Amino acid sequence: MKRLVLPSIFLAASAGMFSCGKTTTINSNMELTGKWVLESVVQNEDTIRKPGLTKGQMEVSLLFKDKGELEATSSTNFLTGYYETSQDNEIQLGGGGTERAETSWGDLFVNALPAVNQYDLSAEKLVLYYENNNALIFNKARLR
């Protein structure tokens, strides 16, 4: 099986976030809690839409839990960590996960996560902004 190491910048940034000396209070945003499914990625003014799933792939999603806990799935990996929000719609994500080969869709997601710093939230849509107004656009997951 081919293995791909998750971007070292995410793991290094996460390690730095977990080991920093300052004390932070996790702000659990009740509107943000729940599962969000990645529908499109905007990079350099181009919109990349979610591809169809093939056998063995997972839906790319984020699950914001109470008390700042975060779970995510990329196309082939599981990620766990934390999130913190603050005034002015700032958000910080951190964590790590498994390291199986990613699809190009999963790579877009995993590579963007460490750079996410702002969010915009409506009832059914979550936009996470990173690097020069690039964005990950999620829809609220429907309960089945």
Side-chain angles (χ1 to χ4, degrees):
M1 168 178 20
K2 182 179 173 186
R3 289 176 50 89
L4 171 73
V5 176
L6 291 177
S8 59
I9 189 168
F10 180 64
L11 296 176
S14 299
M17 287 182 229
F18 285 122
S19 63
C20 66
K22 73 177 188 175
T23 302
T24 58
T25 303
I26 293 183
N27 174 15
S28 179
N29 184 332
M30 294 308 291
E31 293 175 348
L32 188 58
T33 58
K35 184 175 180 180
W36 299 88
V37 178
L38 185 62
E39 295 297 323
S40 59
V41 177
V42 177
Q43 280 190 337
N44 304 320
E45 300 181 14
D46 292 328
T47 300
I48 305 159
R49 303 218 183 277
K50 175 171 80 171
L53 292 177
T54 60
K55 185 176 180 178
Q57 290 180 358
M58 298 180 288
E59 194 165 54
V60 175
S61 67
L62 290 171
L63 175 61
F64 292 93
K65 300 169 100 177
D66 291 337
K67 299 180 183 171
E69 295 174 356
L70 177 67
E71 293 179 3
T73 54
S74 63
S75 59
T76 57
N77 290 286
F78 295 97
L79 309 166
T80 59
Y82 72 93
Y83 69 97
E84 294 180 30
T85 59
S86 62
Q87 295 177 352
D88 301 324
N89 289 358
E90 292 177 355
I91 189 167
Q92 183 177 38
L93 308 173
T98 58
E99 298 179 355
R100 288 183 44 212
E102 284 291 352
T103 64
S104 58
W105 182 242
D107 274 340
L108 287 171
F109 173 69
V110 171
N111 290 332
L113 283 180
V116 167
N117 58 10
Q118 294 281 134
Y119 73 99
D120 189 20
L121 180 65
S122 67
E124 298 295 319
K125 190 168 295 296
L126 168 65
V127 181
L128 297 178
Y129 295 99
Y130 67 101
E131 299 173 352
N132 302 321
N133 291 324
N134 291 333
L136 301 170
I137 303 172
F138 296 82
N139 285 336
K140 186 79 169 183
R142 305 274 185 243
L143 298 176
R144 296 175 193 223

